[in-house]
Structures are given as structure tokens and as C-alpha cells.
Amino acid sequence: MTELFIRLMRKPQGFVGIVLLALIAAACLFGPALAPYAPEKIDFLGRFRAPGWQNWLGADQFGRDILSRLMVGARSTVPLAFIATFVGSAAGATIGVGSAYLGGRTDEAIMRTIDAVMAIPGLLMALLLVSTLGNGAGNAVIAIAVAFAPGMARVTRSAALNVRNQDYVKAAIARGEGAPWIIFREMLPNVMAPIVIESTIRVSFAVMLFATLSFLGVGAQPPASEWGLMVADARQHMHQAPWGLIAPSAAIALTAIAFNLVGDGLRDALNPKDER
Amino acid sequence: MSLAWFARRLMLMVYTVIVVSMLVFAITQILPADAAQSLLGENATPEVLAALRTRLGLGDPAWLQYGRWARHVFTGDFGISMRTSLPVGPEMLAALSRSLLLAVSAILVTLAIAVPLGVVAALRQGRLTDTGVSLIAYLGVSLPEFVTATLLALLLADTWHWLPATGYVSPLEDFGDGIRHLALPVLTVSLILVAHVMRMMRSETLDVLKSDYIRAARLKGLPERTVVFRHALRNALLPVVTIIALDVGYLLGGIIVIEEIFAIPGIGRALMVAITTRDLPSIQAGALIMAATYAVTNTLADMAYAFLDPRIRYD
């Protein structure tokens, strides 16, 4: 584990990714305590104030401090994306390993169905689910998790197929272990690497998808300072205050980049032979 | 490309459309405890609710409801819009044609930009050009469509006044103006696709350049240009067909947001309007048509791939 971390930090992309992640984690943990202003504090004299010493990143149409809103908003964006990815990955991984374990025609049927489900684009699936379940951050998380599960199932299954033919799995079957034991105790631990890599990269998709749902008005609801919502808000005033648009956009992009970098770094660190 | 493989691939496509139609129907009509209530909202009178329940046949078992809907859809009848009281099908197909114009233009622009960049990055592996190209690729996959769209609109339409910010003009009516209205959305979609295709192109070219036949070509004393363009590129381009087909999925998802932002009356926007106004037949038709488009594109791409590379035998 420590060795992996060192290998991850040695590459520039891994290093930058980890530093960015640490900053994001700090914002999620201590954001509200560190923010210079309360995120909802309205200051009518400071409407559309340009970035400067009073508001480092400027102020929005109510004179609310954008930096403070970003720092507090990290909490309503990143952890939710994380939970959605975790739930989606766990469900997908279980289906994928299960399908590889069952093998044969059952595996074929499951995978063809998964392929079919994936013909619905992620955003469309999320939108359909949210429109049925009702708008809101919680339902958006469920929708993203469901949208992610098929893709994770496909990735996990291709890794699990190799494991399925290993001697320890055959031994477990010969011992007469039950399916849950073989799936969760024998096979799943041995396909964790690709799952972790794929999930890390997927967190960045989840951040973007969540922000997109909020942007479209079906995810987080105002006055939450969720980043996608902040972009939607700032769009109406982009003539007067372009900084209101740029700051949350940059926050979303940096978060997505951070998870992408760490995911790619993990892939390199776990497969040292692959020089790409 | 044997006939059996061809038939199997078509069967898979049909299966996909059936699974998707079941899912769409289940999510929109079966999953809600009372679809009528959620369609009409809290303030609906009991009589109106009862009328809608009968109209949708909500009292029937799920499979019967689905069967009735699927039978109508099969004959091209997607029902009547609850918002406009017009047939949904023709409206959605007209919207789809506008979206396809956007999508095809975006793919062409993407190929024109991404393929050369990817090859250049591979040829200059590890150098500054390569790092620059990788950085752009990272940025491309890390910006959601609504952010790229908004930033591009801010820059090209709002600040520099080069392009119109929103709206749609059919290129059939006024070609120049149509293209100008299409430019911003196409550019936005392309930025994301370019990142994918470029990464793919780079790693494929690297792989091919390492192969034996390229070494043989070089040892034969062929000029580098011939090696790259005549020998390497042909094989490196093949997987781009697949990645483009997979990206159609992203494209269709992205189109929802982009059409909404740039006010293009395509299928994505029609779907968003249907969702916000809770127009059930339109939601079902829009979602099904989008997913079916994806299924058809993917099948065509698979066939194109098998046709272009006769070594591939899927069994």
C-alpha cells in the first residue's frame, strides 16, 4: 500500500492529482470553517463586485462571496458524487463478478442485456429516473448510481473472467463452497484493482453528471451552493459578472481532472510494465 | 463477414431496442406509484385523475400496459402529446433530424482535428507537443458540456460577437446563417469528442509503430512519411470507428444539455421540455428514439469494422 502510494507520487500526474485531491478533501472537511463569509450572506452594496481584496473571486448577483460559496459548495458536490460512484460500482461489480462466475449461457444473456441497457446514455438514464423519483440531490445520487452500474459490470466481468479459471476458484468450487462465498471472498478481492481504477475515474464523471443535473434544475435545489447550480445562476448575469461563471466551472474542472489524474496514475502504478 | 454473424448482429440490435423499450416504459409508467398523480401534480381533481388513469390504462397489469404501448410504437404510433395534443412521433422525428445534423457535423469536425493531433502526439512521444496534446485531452474530458458550452458562448458570442449565441436556422433555408448558428454547438460537442478520439489515436499509433511490419518498412529504407501515412495510419485508424460509435452515446447525452443551452429544437431539447412539462408520451418516445439511434449506429459501426478489417471474426 505504501509502496503503491510512493509509486503513484513519483509520476508528475499522480503527484498533481493527489495534491488536488487533498485540497478538495480539505475544502469538504473544513470549507465552512475556513470560508471568509457565510455562503448565504447577502450584501447589496457588493452586487457583482469584481474579484479583489474584499471578495477574492468576486461576488454574485446578491453580493454573496463566490469563494465562500465554492468552499461550502464542495460539500454538496464532491461527497455526493463519491457516494453515487461507490453505490453504482458496488452494484456493477457484484453483477459483473456474478456473471463471470455463472458463465456460459447465463453470462452471455446477462452481458447482452447489460449492453442493451447501456444503449441509454448515462445522462438520459439519470434524467428519466430523476423525473420519476422527483427532483433533488438525493434522487440525483440514486440516478447516477443506477446509470453507472452497467458500465462497471462490464469492466468487472472482463477482469473476473480470468480469475474464474484460476486454481483457487476451482478449488473453492471443488470444496463445495456456495456461490456467495466464491463471488465475494474468492473472486471479488482479486479483481479489486481494475474496479478501483475504473471507479476513481468514474468519480470525475459523477461530479460532472451531478453538476449537469443540478444545472438542468433537477439535481441540487437552490439556495444550495452546489457548483453546477452556481453556473446556472451565473449564466443569467454573465455580461456583468463573468467571474461568477468561471470560478465554479474551474472548480468542477479541477475536481474532475484530479480524479482523472489519480485514476490514470493508479493504473500506471498498478501495471508498472505498461510504459504508456 | 459471414451471413450468420450478420444475422446475429441484427438480432442483438433488435434485442437491445426491446430491452430499452421495456426499461423506458418501466421507469416512466410502471415505477411511479401513481403515474397519473405524478403527471398532473397535487392539485388535480379526482375526476381528471380518473380520466387520465383510464386513458393510460393504469388499472391494467404492467405487462398488458407495456404490450399495448409496444404494439402502437411498433406501428410508429407514439401517442398524442399531453402538451400540444399533436401526434408525438412526427414531431420527435423532425427534432431528431436536426440533432443528427448537429451530431454528424460534430463527428466530422472531431475527426478533422483529433486524428492529426493524435498522430503528431504519438510521433513526438514524451516531448512538449505530446504533453501539450495530453493536457488538452485531460481538459476536454474534465469539463462537462454545460461548462464548455457556457464558456465558449461567453467568449465567442458575448465578448467577441463572432457567432450568434443561441437559436437554430435550417441550413436548407439559409445556408450561411444556418452554419453560423450551428458553429458554437458543434464546437462544444467536438471539444469533448476530440479528447477521446485523440487519446485513442495516440495510443493506437504508438502500438502500431512498435509492430514488426513497421520495423520492416523502416529497415527497407522507406521514407518516414510513407511509413506513417501508408503503413501505420491505416491500421491505427481502425479502432477509431469503434470509439466514434461508442461516443455516439456520449454525444446523445451531451446533446440534451447543448441543445438546451443553445436553444436548438432537436430531440434533446424536446426531451427536456417533455420532462419539465411531464408529457409522458413525449418522454417515452424521445428516450426510445435516442436509445434506438444509438443501437443502430453501434450495429452499423460493428459492420463497418468487420468490413474494413477482414481479419476480425466475431463469433
Side-chain angles (χ1 to χ4, degrees), chain A residues 13 108 112-113 116 118-119 121 123-124 128 131-132 208 212 215 235 239 245 249 252-253 256-257 260-261 264 276, chain B residues 8 12 15-16 20 27 138-139 141-144 146-147 150 158 199 203 207 249 253 257 261 271 283 291 294:
Chain A
Q13 45 164 317
E108 180 77 12
R112 292 292 82 82
T113 309
M118 284 180 75
L123 179 62
L124 176 56
L128 285 179
S131 77
T132 293
M208 293 195 272
T212 304
F215 176 85
R235 245 168 62 84
H239 307 273
L245 204 63
S249 306
I252 296 167
I257 288 175
N260 263 320
L261 284 173
D264 282 356
R276 257 185 294 142
Chain B
R8 210 181 109 81
L12 272 182
Y15 181 66
T16 301
V20 166
I27 294 174
Y138 260 116
L139 214 62
V141 292
S142 304
L143 284 170
F146 74 93
V147 171
T150 316
D158 229 54
R199 274 176 140 181
S203 75
D207 276 353
V257 182
I261 291 179
L271 196 69
I283 298 178
Y294 178 67

Side-chain angles (χ1 to χ4, degrees), chain A residues 75-95:
Chain A
R75 257 187 202 189
S76 42
T77 311
V78 184
L80 292 182
F82 214 87
I83 296 171
T85 313
F86 183 80
V87 175
S89 299
T94 310
I95 298 173

Side-chain angles (χ1 to χ4, degrees), chain B residues 155-286:
Chain B
L155 210 64
L156 295 178
D158 229 54
T159 315
W160 294 340
H161 301 287
W162 285 1
L163 296 165
T166 57
Y168 174 83
V169 173
S170 167
L172 292 177
E173 283 163 23
D174 182 343
F175 190 74
D177 209 29
I179 297 292
R180 276 166 50 77
H181 276 88
L182 217 52
L184 260 182
V186 165
L187 202 61
T188 315
V189 187
S190 308
L191 269 184
I192 295 142
L193 294 182
V194 161
H196 287 168
V197 177
M198 197 162 65
R199 274 176 140 181
M200 182 76 182
M201 199 61 215
R202 174 178 177 273
S203 75
E204 277 308 317
T205 312
L206 279 181
D207 276 353
V208 171
L209 283 178
K210 270 185 224 148
S211 63
D212 286 338
Y213 79 93
I214 290 293
R215 206 156 51 131
R218 281 190 174 142
L219 288 175
K220 217 158 60 171
L222 289 179
E224 185 66 15
R225 206 159 31 128
T226 319
V227 173
V228 171
F229 285 105
R230 284 194 58 109
H231 295 243
L233 203 57
R234 284 195 180 178
N235 271 319
L237 268 174
L238 270 178
V240 171
V241 177
T242 317
I243 196 93
I244 288 277
L246 288 176
D247 267 339
V248 171
Y250 286 98
L251 198 65
L252 290 170
I255 267 177
I256 301 177
V257 182
I258 284 163
E259 289 180 349
E260 180 74 10
I261 291 179
F262 291 117
I264 296 172
I267 193 154
R269 188 143 202 261
L271 196 69
M272 266 323 280
V273 172
I275 285 176
T276 38
T277 56
R278 300 179 170 285
D279 180 0
L280 193 60
S282 297
I283 298 178
Q284 290 165 341

Side-chain angles (χ1 to χ4, degrees), chain B:
Chain B
M1 196 160 39
S2 62
L3 206 64
W5 177 82
F6 198 79
R8 210 181 109 81
R9 196 63 197 76
L10 280 180
M11 295 253 297
L12 272 182
M13 188 180 88
V14 174
Y15 181 66
T16 301
V17 174
I18 292 173
V19 169
V20 166
S21 72
M22 282 178 169
L23 256 179
V24 167
F25 192 78
I27 294 174
T28 50
Q29 191 154 334
I30 307 295
L31 197 62
D34 185 353
Q37 184 86 60
S38 68
L39 287 175
L40 295 172
E42 304 285 316
N43 303 322
T45 57
E47 296 85 56
V48 180
L49 273 175
L52 183 62
R53 273 189 209 118
T54 338
R55 192 179 137 195
L56 293 173
L58 289 178
D60 298 329
W63 61 268
L64 202 65
Q65 291 183 43
Y66 170 76
R68 195 163 41 214
W69 177 72
R71 204 175 58 232
H72 283 163
V73 166
F74 191 70
T75 56
D77 171 18
F78 283 96
I80 304 291
S81 164
M82 297 168 121
R83 190 173 55 91
T84 60
S85 300
L86 292 168
V88 172
E91 218 172 324
M92 280 290 168
L93 287 177
L96 178 69
S97 71
R98 296 182 203 113
S99 297
L100 284 180
L101 178 67
L102 173 59
V104 171
S105 320
I107 288 177
L108 291 179
V109 170
T110 302
L111 286 176
I113 299 174
V115 170
L117 277 182
V119 173
V120 168
L123 291 176
R124 301 181 164 266
Q125 190 192 7
R127 290 201 246 161
L128 203 66
T129 328
D130 183 25
T131 320
V133 166
S134 302
L135 242 125
I136 298 173
Y138 260 116
L139 214 62
V141 292
S142 304
L143 284 170
E145 295 89 357
F146 74 93
V147 171
T148 353
T150 316
L151 292 181
L152 280 178
L154 178 68
L155 210 64
L156 295 178
D158 229 54
T159 315
W160 294 340
H161 301 287
W162 285 1
L163 296 165
T166 57
Y168 174 83
V169 173
S170 167
L172 292 177
E173 283 163 23
D174 182 343
F175 190 74
D177 209 29
I179 297 292
R180 276 166 50 77
H181 276 88
L182 217 52
L184 260 182
V186 165
L187 202 61
T188 315
V189 187
S190 308
L191 269 184
I192 295 142
L193 294 182
V194 161
H196 287 168
V197 177
M198 197 162 65
R199 274 176 140 181
M200 182 76 182
M201 199 61 215
R202 174 178 177 273
S203 75
E204 277 308 317
T205 312
L206 279 181
D207 276 353
V208 171
L209 283 178
K210 270 185 224 148
S211 63
D212 286 338
Y213 79 93
I214 290 293
R215 206 156 51 131
R218 281 190 174 142
L219 288 175
K220 217 158 60 171
L222 289 179
E224 185 66 15
R225 206 159 31 128
T226 319
V227 173
V228 171
F229 285 105
R230 284 194 58 109
H231 295 243
L233 203 57
R234 284 195 180 178
N235 271 319
L237 268 174
L238 270 178
V240 171
V241 177
T242 317
I243 196 93
I244 288 277
L246 288 176
D247 267 339
V248 171
Y250 286 98
L251 198 65
L252 290 170
I255 267 177
I256 301 177
V257 182
I258 284 163
E259 289 180 349
E260 180 74 10
I261 291 179
F262 291 117
I264 296 172
I267 193 154
R269 188 143 202 261
L271 196 69
M272 266 323 280
V273 172
I275 285 176
T276 38
T277 56
R278 300 179 170 285
D279 180 0
L280 193 60
S282 297
I283 298 178
Q284 290 165 341
L288 186 59
I289 289 176
M290 270 187 139
T293 310
Y294 178 67
V296 172
T297 330
N298 242 321
T299 310
L300 289 178
D302 263 10
M303 289 175 178
Y305 195 99
F307 181 72
L308 288 173
D309 189 351
R311 287 172 305 181
I312 306 283
R313 282 282 167 270
Y314 304 88
D315 333 271

